[in-house]
Amino acid sequence: MGAPRDFGVRHPRALVLASQLPLTLLLAAGVAAAPAAWGLHLSSGWGQAALVLHSLIFLAAGVVPLQRFGPLASLAIPVLDLAAIGLSRFAAAEELPGLGVLSMLPVVWISASRLAPAAIVSISFLGPLLAGLPWCFAAGAEDRPGRIASIGLLALTTLAVSLAMQFVRAQVRRQQGKVDAKEAELQALLAESRERERLLNAILDAVDVGIVAIDADGRRLLTNSWQAMLEASAAPPGDTRPTDPGWEEQLVLTGRDQATPLPPGRRPLRRALGGESFADHLVCFGVAPGSRVVSTGARPLQDDDGDFRGAVVVYNEVTGLVNALAAKEDVVATVSHEFRTPLTSIIGNLDLVLGEELPLSVLRRIEVAQRNAERLQSLVSDLLMSASSAVHVQPRKTDLAGLVEASVGSARAHAQSSRVSLAMDVAAPLWAEVDPLRIGQALDNLVSNAIKYSPHGGAVTVSARAEGGRVLLQVEDSGIGMTAADAAKIFTRFFRSPAVREGSIPGAGLGLSITKAIVEGHGGSISCSTLPGQGSTFTVDLPAEGTPRAF
Ligand code: ADP
């Protein structure tokens, strides 16, 4: 395991022994290579002393726990080595001439230590020099200069080696410093990014909105806890993992009717994986009753080159809102329906009374009651229609010129009483595949608005023409017009412009939203161009051949 290997690498005594071993082995090899020196060496007192000193140093390196005396105490071994080499040289220089070179080993050892650089340099130079002096002075006068030069050269060489090592060590230390600084920087960044991740996770789990992030292969990178709960409510039985790319396909997702399974291509993650960006895509999790209505939206993620890298999909539950809207529409529909029967009876009876011989003052009052009852009836039918979620159209071949004529005809009395001129511009016949009742209703709404919002002396023109495969109906007036901000909202239910609301022009703000629903039910569109004080032009654009098949 780890312990024995650690012992080999880290135990201080083993390190000292390992550092000493090369010198001991080299000495042994040198001695072994010169057998002629053995007798002489062992018989001389200096030779024996050198041998004993080398052996004692080797023993001390392996046995004495020098590190206990301080981190630098083990350097006593290489210093003693220098002395022992000097002694050996003195005793056997003739037989083993290259002994001085061995001084390099203790010098390298000392140079690699943590001793102060000045001390290292001094020992590296003076150690071999002093150790060589006895050998130098043992020589005769004629050999001495040569030996002095030899030890001088050796001392300079060891000094050079030591200096080179100091230089390399300084370089290494500098590099190490840089690496340590970078490492510290990285650790700080890592800690910061972990902190941010924790913060992000806390935020993601605190919001009551589902969030899913996927990569370009549809694998989930993130699912917050709200979303996990939402998916658990629509999960099939079994143990499929939500991290599977195909997980969404397994969820019980339904359409707006909360019953029809949502086709794979309409599922939010699948759409997002296709690179789509969308908002307000309504999806139901589970089947009614108990299903949850969720508004979903997605944004693709792109890399620097604009390539698709994945997407983020957001799920916002709107079950409460949808239920409240449905309940409101139910109430409106029921109340309007309940109003219709008594109103029809009131209007019918007033009609009958008006046919009788009555004093003029009574007749006037009954006419007022009848007008108001009729207004109430048209309001109730508008409410009923706008409460139903879809407009059902039954198109058939219809002459639009006839419809325009009928609409203008029935508005004529209203135009006269408002002192507005009413004209039409249409070449009969103008055939189109439309529901005559519905398009007639739309025309009536537009014409009655044009008259209603024109001052005395105004002019209203209704025109119709064919253009390509389409028919265009236009109602133009010279009335009060609207600001651009108001014009942008007129097709919204119950919207009435502030100018109209402040005046006394009656209305509920439903006519145009119904008109738009009718036109769109035919696969057409409606637009308005207007300027305040300069009148308005409403244009209805319908496909002449009827609703396109795919609509
Ligand atoms: P209503 O006429 O009952 O208020 P509508 O839905 O028909 O409801 O119209 C919505 C609003 O649009 C009106 O209240 C009015 O402010 C504006 N509007 C519609 N038609 C015209 C028009 N021809 N000229 C000026 N404003 C109009």
Side-chain angles (χ1 to χ4, degrees):
M1 306 286 180
R5 203 168 58 231
D6 280 3
F7 180 83
V9 173
R10 289 190 192 159
H11 196 281
R13 227 180 303 159
L15 276 177
V16 173
L17 195 61
S19 307
Q20 177 61 18
L21 208 54
L23 176 66
T24 309
L25 289 177
L26 271 174
L27 265 171
V31 170
W38 294 357
L40 204 75
H41 199 66
L42 288 175
S43 62
S44 99
W46 290 114
Q48 285 165 1
L51 206 63
V52 169
L53 189 54
H54 278 302
S55 311
L56 282 177
I57 294 171
F58 185 68
L59 242 140
V63 176
V64 181
L66 288 166
Q67 70 285 351
R68 282 200 197 154
F69 303 104
L72 298 174
S74 58
L75 292 181
I77 300 288
V79 172
L80 285 172
D81 278 339
L82 286 172
I85 290 167
L87 199 56
S88 301
R89 208 172 177 194
F90 177 68
E94 304 303 327
E95 298 80 10
L96 296 168
L99 273 174
V101 179
L102 291 179
S103 309
M104 205 64 83
L105 291 172
V107 165
V108 167
W109 183 344
I110 291 166
S111 302
S113 73
R114 296 206 181 137
L115 203 59
I120 291 178
V121 169
S122 310
I123 296 176
S124 304
F125 180 69
L126 292 176
L129 192 74
L130 295 176
L133 282 181
W135 170 68
C136 219
F137 288 110
E142 68 281 10
D143 287 342
R144 198 171 295 151
R147 288 192 180 190
I148 289 175
S150 161
I151 61 163
L153 198 63
L154 178 67
L156 284 174
T157 311
T158 51
L159 176 66
V161 168
S162 174
L163 284 174
M165 279 187 71
Q166 292 305 301
F167 178 73
V168 170
R169 280 192 64 195
Q171 290 276 77
V172 169
R173 256 202 304 271
R174 239 193 328 272
Q175 293 300 334
Q176 187 63 42
K178 282 186 191 163
V179 170
D180 287 351
K182 281 267 173 268
E183 165 91 19
E185 210 174 298
L186 272 179
Q187 290 297 340
L189 281 176
L190 201 66
E192 194 181 326
S193 98
R194 282 207 196 101
E195 184 57 35
R196 280 195 187 172
E197 192 185 327
R198 269 195 293 274
L199 180 69
L200 189 67
N201 283 340
I203 293 171
L204 286 176
D205 286 340
V207 293
D208 50 3
V209 169
I211 299 170
V212 174
I214 50 170
D215 66 13
D217 298 321
R219 275 187 298 264
R220 293 210 184 195
L221 304 172
L222 179 152
T223 304
N224 73 341
S225 51
W226 197 91
Q227 181 61 15
M229 274 183 337
L230 179 68
E231 290 183 358
S233 71
D239 63 349
T240 326
R241 282 170 302 127
T243 43
D244 289 348
W247 167 241
E248 190 193 45
E249 253 88 302
Q250 322 236 6
L251 293 175
V252 183
L253 300 188
T254 52
R256 291 183 78 164
D257 63 357
Q258 308 189 18
T260 317
L262 204 64
R266 299 297 300 158
R267 293 178 176 235
L269 283 181
R270 176 71 84 84
R271 286 185 68 185
L273 193 56
E276 273 187 70
S277 170
F278 57 88
D280 275 341
H281 171 47
L282 276 195
V283 170
C284 298
F285 278 66
V287 180
S291 65
R292 299 167 76 173
V293 189
V294 178
S295 164
T296 64
R299 289 282 172 282
L301 302 172
Q302 290 171 339
D303 61 16
D304 290 345
D305 300 329
D307 293 333
F308 178 73
R309 305 295 299 155
V312 174
V313 184
V314 179
Y315 300 75
N316 189 12
E317 184 169 7
V318 290
T319 314
L321 190 68
V322 167
N323 287 347
L325 275 176
K328 191 191 88 183
E329 284 180 359
D330 261 10
V331 170
V332 172
T334 312
V335 170
S336 313
H337 190 76
E338 293 303 314
F339 275 12
R340 238 178 19 176
T341 322
L343 267 175
T344 313
S345 158
I346 291 170
I347 291 167
N349 279 294
L350 287 176
D351 259 352
L352 290 175
V353 173
L354 279 173
E356 289 174 12
E357 290 278 327
L358 288 170
L360 200 62
S361 61
V362 177
L363 275 179
R364 290 277 171 274
R365 281 167 198 261
I366 292 175
E367 273 169 7
V368 171
Q370 192 194 34
R371 252 200 326 275
N372 280 299
E374 278 168 357
R375 257 185 68 193
L376 202 54
Q377 193 185 36
S378 106
L379 182 63
V380 163
S381 65
D382 276 1
L383 274 174
L384 247 181
M385 194 158 169
S386 75
S388 67
S389 45
V391 175
H392 298 288
V393 294
Q394 291 169 334
R396 60 168 189 268
K397 197 172 174 197
T398 308
D399 177 16
L400 285 177
L403 279 188
V404 171
E405 218 166 301
S407 184
V408 167
S410 61
R412 201 156 301 277
H414 181 196
Q416 269 164 10
S417 66
S418 303
R419 283 184 244 152
V420 171
S421 71
L422 185 56
M424 60 177 260
D425 172 16
V426 53
L430 179 60
W431 296 106
E433 197 73 18
V434 298
D435 182 332
L437 269 179
R438 295 294 187 208
I439 293 297
Q441 190 182 355
L443 267 172
D444 287 348
N445 278 342
L446 295 176
V447 174
S448 101
N449 273 355
I451 298 169
K452 198 161 68 166
Y453 299 116
S454 290
H456 290 338
V460 171
T461 308
V462 186
S463 57
R465 64 178 191 278
E467 213 174 87
R470 314 194 66 82
V471 282
L472 300 179
L473 303 175
Q474 249 171 6
V475 180
E476 189 181 348
D477 66 59
S478 58
I480 57 174
M482 283 168 277
T483 63
D486 287 344
K489 297 184 206 146
I490 49 175
F491 297 108
T492 311
R493 269 198 278 180
F494 300 110
F495 175 80
R496 307 201 74 217
S497 71
V500 164
R501 250 185 285 124
E502 279 157 21
S504 57
I505 308 171
L510 287 171
L512 284 182
S513 69
I514 292 171
T515 305
K516 183 170 187 261
I518 291 172
V519 172
E520 289 180 348
H522 282 81
S525 63
I526 180 167
S527 59
C528 169
S529 80
T530 178
L531 279 176
Q534 300 196 19
S536 315
T537 302
F538 284 83
T539 306
V540 172
D541 180 338
L542 295 169
E545 296 298 324
T547 317
R549 198 181 289 274
F551 194 79

